[in-house]
Amino acid sequence: MASFLEFEKPIAELQARIDELRDTAAGGEVDIEAEVGRLQAKSDRFLKDAYAKLTPWQKTLVARHPERPHFKHYVARLIDDFMPLGGDRAFADDQAIQGGLGRFRGRRVMVIGHEKGDDTASRLRHNFGMGKPEGYRKAIRLVELADKFGIPVVTLVDTSGAFPGMEAEERGQAEAIARSTEACLNLGVPMVASILGEGGSGGAVALAAGNRVLMMEHAVYSVISPEGCASILWRTADKAADAAEAMKVTAQHLKELGVIDTIVPEPLGGAHRDHAAAIDALGDAIESALEDLSGQSATALRQSRRAKFLAMGRA
């Protein structure tokens, strides 16, 4: 059953009416197609109008939609012969951050990303996509392995942030994130990062310091969640919508600010409504970015990547 967001309430009501008509007419002689067609057309208009004028807070809700495609969906559709690689060779294999080797449209790649899970059991297993130090150290290991063998790196970022628990801090969370970011910046091979849904704080940047940063149309990317920002500035999370507006968290704002390079269009109503179309659109954008970066020397890739991030925020 489809899950609707609060601002999609009129659409949800129309879809419920359509489902009710179909259930009533099931196995009967009543022709409901004309009425269903009328209601569906009205629903489509509402959907188009709603998504044409989403506020930053509404985009945040779409980015968090539980039915959006996750790392495993992108890998299943885009990566052939995927071979997962696990463990940080020091403590454990963090399930929030996944990675491995495979072929993307005929090209060898190292794929690394956050996996949130799509039901209660898998979300708990993957810790809701919140990486721990061992996850970022695994990412460092895979990035360095790719660099050693001259394999481009593709990252798929989707996290509310790195895990903030005491055990993560005890195992060096901040250092692991910093070293993961450093490893990305030091790469001598092309790196393309994609923000799939949420790009939260250092937990996202640690896998997003690439030569090209792509962002799904309704994704968000910020140093702190809107709720966290509102709690600091206004002492209440009720101001999250105001915080989202002020923080410029959307792909459209970040493209203007030069934080990201490309906005990847999503199907009408968001990626959660058509996984295949959304994944294929990102695949095309990744392919274009890798083509653009191919042939550049290791020195040129490092220099352009560092220059890109040092230039952010400068007038």
Side-chain angles (χ1 to χ4, degrees):
M1 186 176 182
S3 175
F4 292 92
L5 299 169
E6 179 62 30
F7 67 87
E8 296 177 321
K9 187 175 180 181
I11 303 162
E13 291 172 350
L14 284 169
Q15 288 299 319
R17 176 60 179 154
I18 291 170
D19 293 341
E20 181 182 338
L21 279 173
R22 285 178 172 155
D23 288 342
T24 302
E29 299 295 328
V30 182
D31 184 2
I32 61 164
E33 290 309 312
E35 179 64 10
V36 167
R38 186 186 68 80
L39 291 174
Q40 189 61 59
K42 188 176 182 180
S43 175
D44 292 343
R45 286 198 304 273
F46 280 1
L47 189 65
K48 185 176 181 180
D49 291 344
Y51 275 77
K53 54 185 180 182
L54 292 179
T55 67
W57 176 242
Q58 287 171 336
K59 280 186 176 284
T60 302
L61 298 178
V62 175
R64 294 172 175 173
H65 198 289
E67 294 170 11
R68 278 180 80 85
H70 299 139
F71 177 85
K72 68 178 183 181
H73 301 114
Y74 284 88
V75 168
R77 188 166 179 87
L78 295 178
I79 308 300
D80 296 323
D81 303 322
F82 181 65
M83 178 183 293
L85 300 173
D88 67 343
R89 300 295 188 266
F91 183 77
D93 183 24
D94 183 14
Q95 293 300 304
I97 296 179
Q98 306 282 300
L101 291 163
R103 288 192 175 275
F104 168 68
R105 298 183 178 178
R107 186 194 308 263
R108 290 190 308 160
V109 292
M110 179 71 78
V111 188
I112 308 169
H114 301 92
E115 174 56 60
K116 284 185 170 182
D118 49 17
D119 57 31
T120 301
S122 63
R123 285 172 189 144
L124 290 171
R125 184 169 68 255
H126 294 293
N127 200 34
F128 299 88
M130 296 186 292
K132 297 178 181 179
E134 50 270 25
Y136 291 103
R137 292 183 178 122
K138 172 168 63 176
I140 294 168
R141 185 172 73 82
L142 300 189
V143 161
E144 291 177 344
L145 184 65
D147 199 18
K148 180 177 181 180
F149 291 101
I151 300 171
V153 174
V154 173
T155 61
L156 304 172
V157 177
D158 190 11
T159 181
S160 59
F163 182 62
M166 184 181 295
E167 63 267 36
E169 297 301 326
E170 290 172 344
R171 296 198 294 274
Q173 182 73 290
E175 182 195 26
I177 290 172
R179 290 194 180 278
S180 181
T181 307
E182 180 186 37
C184 293
L185 291 172
N186 286 336
L187 266 174
V189 296
M191 178 177 172
V192 178
S194 303
I195 312 299
L196 306 181
E198 287 186 282
S201 193
V205 174
L207 297 185
N211 297 93
R212 297 287 185 275
V213 180
L214 318 178
M215 191 167 172
M216 298 301 288
E217 181 183 1
H218 301 310
V220 293
Y221 191 19
S222 62
V223 71
I224 191 173
S225 70
E227 297 93 330
C229 177
S231 295
I232 293 171
L233 295 182
W234 291 286
R235 307 297 184 190
T236 173
D238 294 340
K239 292 281 189 177
D242 295 328
E245 181 70 45
M247 290 165 63
K248 311 295 184 187
V249 300
T250 70
Q252 294 72 25
H253 284 133
L254 296 171
K255 181 71 165 60
E256 291 178 8
L257 294 170
V259 175
I260 67 166
D261 301 294
T262 302
I263 299 174
V264 180
E266 296 189 23
L268 178 61
H272 56 282
R273 282 190 163 84
D274 190 341
H275 283 201
I279 294 170
D280 288 345
L282 182 64
D284 292 342
I286 292 172
E287 183 177 27
S288 177
L290 288 174
E291 286 291 339
D292 188 43
L293 295 167
S294 65
Q296 295 188 30
S297 69
T299 298
L301 289 166
R302 291 189 187 100
Q303 288 178 344
S304 64
R305 194 184 298 120
R306 291 175 181 176
K308 171 187 176 65
F309 284 88
L310 287 172
M312 290 181 186
R314 294 183 179 180

